[in-house]
Amino acid sequence: LIPRRLPSGLRYEMSSIYRPHFAVGGDYYDVVEFPDEKAVFCIADITGKGVAAALLMANFQANFHAIVPRCPSLEEIVTEMNSAVHRVTEGDRFITLFIGKYDAATHTLQYINAGHTPPILITEGKASRLRNGTTVLGWLPELPFLEIGNIQLSSDAYLFTYTDGLTDVCNAAGEDFNDDMLLDFLQTNIDLPVKEINEKLLVQVEKFKGDQPYPDDITVLSCRLFK
């Protein structure tokens, strides 16, 4: 259900990591490209693990591909996605979501963070967390608030989106692969192609955890946005 190939070209370049905790998982990412140099991309984390989470993710994927092409704004997309999830779960389960829309013609990034781990945006050597948005999807029949993030990019940017399974990884001493370690790794390797960053990150995480098991699904969607 997740994309087999991700776009890589003059406007943007994307690469992913997908490591389900069991044979199937509840993490999800996707990209929908449009002919007018726009792309909508997302990463999501369904509560729970295994088959139950995967089934809800399959429903989410079907709705995503139905809603995104006919809804011009992120606000409409997220509002409809919330209603669709709530109809299925009735508030018993929920989904965290980060969704972004990049307009390569105007070099603008819009986003909504629905209770998801805040992605890291690095541009001009500075890192920021993308937090604007709303609450998790499916918990309530209507979203109580919604704030769209708008960023005008003046130079190339690197966007790192991920699920919290990445920073939940522990070593034998019980230490987490925490946010500071992740940010330090990204800033050190920022000039590499996105695929190489992901490959090096996996090596780093494997080395850090040693013989300890992965505690959760791990998913990453890395995006280089070109000015």
Side-chain angles (χ1 to χ4, degrees), residues 4-69:
R4 295 186 179 184
R5 291 186 300 174
L6 290 171
S8 179
L10 297 176
R11 300 300 187 181
Y12 39 80
E13 173 188 26
M14 300 183 185
S15 180
S16 64
I17 298 171
Y18 184 71
R19 294 288 184 275
H21 184 66
F22 299 119
V24 293
D27 285 0
Y28 175 69
Y29 67 90
D30 214 334
V31 182
V32 176
E33 294 186 277
F34 296 90
D36 59 352
E37 298 189 322
K38 295 184 179 71
V40 172
F41 56 92
C42 77
I43 188 167
D45 188 354
I46 288 83
T47 52
K49 304 180 183 71
V51 174
L55 288 172
L56 182 54
M57 185 268 279
N59 179 270
F60 182 90
Q61 188 255 11
N63 283 313
F64 182 80
H65 280 272
I67 292 170
V68 168

Side-chain angles (χ1 to χ4, degrees), residues 15 69 83 115 117 133 226:
S15 180
S83 297
T117 304
F226 297 117

Side-chain angles (χ1 to χ4, degrees), residues 25-154:
D27 285 0
Y28 175 69
Y29 67 90
D30 214 334
V31 182
V32 176
E33 294 186 277
F34 296 90
D36 59 352
E37 298 189 322
K38 295 184 179 71
V40 172
F41 56 92
C42 77
I43 188 167
D45 188 354
I46 288 83
T47 52
K49 304 180 183 71
V51 174
L55 288 172
L56 182 54
M57 185 268 279
N59 179 270
F60 182 90
Q61 188 255 11
N63 283 313
F64 182 80
H65 280 272
I67 292 170
V68 168
R70 62 178 173 80
C71 289
S73 73
L74 290 185
E75 182 177 8
E76 290 176 273
I77 293 170
V78 170
T79 299
E80 289 207 26
M81 291 298 297
N82 179 71
S83 297
V85 175
H86 190 270
R87 281 196 300 270
V88 173
T89 66
E90 297 183 338
D92 289 336
R93 299 172 75 87
F94 60 85
I95 296 175
T96 71
L97 170 74
F98 177 88
I99 184 168
K101 184 176 186 178
Y102 181 58
D103 186 335
T106 60
H107 313 296
T108 56
L109 173 66
Q110 290 186 317
Y111 74 87
I112 293 174
N113 186 334
H116 195 77
T117 304
I120 299 169
L121 179 70
I122 302 177
T123 181
E124 298 181 341
K126 298 179 181 178
S128 58
R129 292 277 186 171
L130 305 189
R131 304 180 185 276
N132 293 1
T134 185
T135 189
V136 296
L137 304 187
W139 179 40
L140 298 169
E142 294 184 7
L143 295 171
F145 62 91
L146 199 156
E147 181 182 10
I148 299 175
N150 286 280
I151 300 171
Q152 179 69 54
L153 299 176
S154 57

